[in-house]
């Protein structure tokens, strides 16, 4: 019962949100199988540039320090795909919602020396045809080892990857190809300098403008609202009559 209520509530929230996901809203699908690592490119105060990768300081041998966590969809530790977004067939069902992460070792970086930073994604994979969409990067408070042991599900880790301090907000207007670089802001630089000598993780989430959300989910939301209003008007009906009436939201995911 609690799971059904949680899914129904999130479905309504996503449909009403200005950043609600629509069918086929995803990036970086099909990644991870080729063993291509992603980069963190740092500009240092001495004028040099350092490139760190998700292939350094591995937590799991043979698996890059990158991957995804799903809202309800379980992952497994050896899967280092950086898929993010919502899959078909029902993008408003939380089981299809995914956020990604990247972890880098700052073991040889001097605190306070970082003056610029960019995340460079070398394995862009496949994106949906539903554009534009916004890919955002956030700070991560989850311990790096725990984050990279991405087996099963964790609502707290999933939430962490798409909340907190926003490091970047990139509007994607079409299918990506080649290397894709995203500059990180001052908040990211401050956190990077504070994390020098340790692991540093970045979380990613995908949003999309409401203007491209397909009509059926919005119509369903409107119908649910009208149904709720109708129930309010009939609140004086006897309990026996209510028990005999068909459930208003019998189509809600289990």
């Amino acid at each position: 019962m609690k799971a059904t209520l949680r899914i129904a509530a999130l479905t309504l929230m996503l449909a009403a949100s200005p950043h609600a996901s629509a069918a086929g809203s995803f990036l970086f699908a099909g990644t991870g199988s080729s063993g291509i690592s992603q980069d963190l490119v740092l500009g240092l105060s001495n004028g040099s540039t350092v490139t760190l990768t998700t292939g350094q300081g591995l937590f799991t041998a043979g698996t890059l320090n990158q991957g995804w966590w799903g809202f309800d969809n379980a992952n497994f530790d050896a899967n280092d795909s950086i898929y993010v977004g919502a899959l078909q067939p029902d993008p408003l069902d939380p089981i299809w919602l995914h956020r990604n992460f990247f972890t880098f070792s700052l073991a040889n970086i001097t605190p306070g020396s970082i003056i610029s930073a960019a995340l460079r994604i070398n394995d862009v994979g496949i994106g949906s045809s539903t554009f534009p969409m916004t890919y955002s990067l956030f700070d991560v408070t989850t311990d790096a080892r725990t984050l990279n042991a991405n087996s099963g599900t964790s609502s707290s880790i999933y939430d962490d990857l798409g909340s907190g301090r926003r490091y970047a907000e990139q509007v994607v207007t079409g299918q990506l190809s080649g290397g894709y670089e995203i500059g990180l802001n001052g908040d990211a630089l401050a956190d990077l300098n504070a994390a020098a000598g340790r692991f540093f993780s970045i979380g990613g989430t995908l949003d999309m403008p409401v203007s491209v959300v397909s009509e059926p989910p919005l119509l369903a939301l409107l119908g649910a609202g009208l149904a709720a209003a109708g129930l309010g008007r009939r609140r004086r009906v006897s309990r026996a009559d209510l028990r005999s009436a068909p459930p208003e939201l019998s189509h809600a995911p289990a």
Side-chain angles (χ1 to χ4, degrees), residues 49-90:
T49 300
V50 174
T51 300
L52 308 178
T53 81
T54 55
Q56 298 168 330
L58 298 180
F59 291 99
T60 301
T63 302
L64 300 173
N65 291 342
Q66 61 186 46
W68 58 257
W69 285 87
F71 184 91
D72 276 338
N73 191 25
N75 200 357
F76 55 95
D77 192 32
N79 178 27
D80 50 18
S81 166
I82 55 171
Y83 173 85
V84 62
L87 276 170
Q88 300 276 15
D90 184 0

Side-chain angles (χ1 to χ4, degrees), residues 9-214:
L10 185 59
T11 298
L12 293 175
M13 177 187 73
L14 285 170
S17 169
H19 297 293
S21 294
S25 174
F26 60 83
L27 289 174
F28 315 132
T31 58
S33 60
S34 55
I36 300 176
S37 61
Q38 320 311 321
D39 300 336
L40 181 63
V41 182
L42 304 177
L44 305 183
S45 55
N46 62 5
S48 65
T49 300
V50 174
T51 300
L52 308 178
T53 81
T54 55
Q56 298 168 330
L58 298 180
F59 291 99
T60 301
T63 302
L64 300 173
N65 291 342
Q66 61 186 46
W68 58 257
W69 285 87
F71 184 91
D72 276 338
N73 191 25
N75 200 357
F76 55 95
D77 192 32
N79 178 27
D80 50 18
S81 166
I82 55 171
Y83 173 85
V84 62
L87 276 170
Q88 300 276 15
D90 184 0
L92 295 183
D93 185 336
I95 197 172
W96 303 114
L97 301 179
H98 303 77
R99 290 172 176 169
N100 59 12
F101 68 88
F102 312 86
T103 298
F104 302 94
S105 173
L106 306 182
N108 298 317
I109 301 299
T110 303
S113 65
I114 302 171
I115 60 173
S116 68
L119 175 67
R120 185 167 62 208
I121 298 175
N122 299 306
D123 188 9
V124 296
I126 302 169
S128 78
S129 59
T130 307
F131 298 99
M133 59 182 76
T134 302
Y135 179 57
S136 297
L137 300 176
F138 288 89
D139 75 320
V140 175
T141 59
T142 303
D143 173 75
R145 184 175 294 277
T146 301
L147 177 67
N148 282 268
N150 54 324
S151 296
T153 61
S154 170
S155 59
S156 62
I157 293 178
Y158 176 85
D159 290 343
D160 188 19
L161 296 180
S163 63
R165 289 186 295 281
R166 192 186 299 264
Y167 290 159
E169 186 176 69
Q170 194 101 336
V171 176
V172 182
T173 59
Q175 173 62 44
L176 302 175
S177 62
Y180 185 62
E181 192 163 299
I182 305 172
L184 305 184
N185 63 22
D187 286 338
L189 296 181
D191 289 349
L192 279 163
N193 279 303
R198 298 179 284 113
F199 282 100
F200 182 81
S201 300
I202 301 172
T205 187
L206 193 64
D207 302 320
M208 195 164 59
V210 71
S211 59
V212 294
V213 175
S214 57

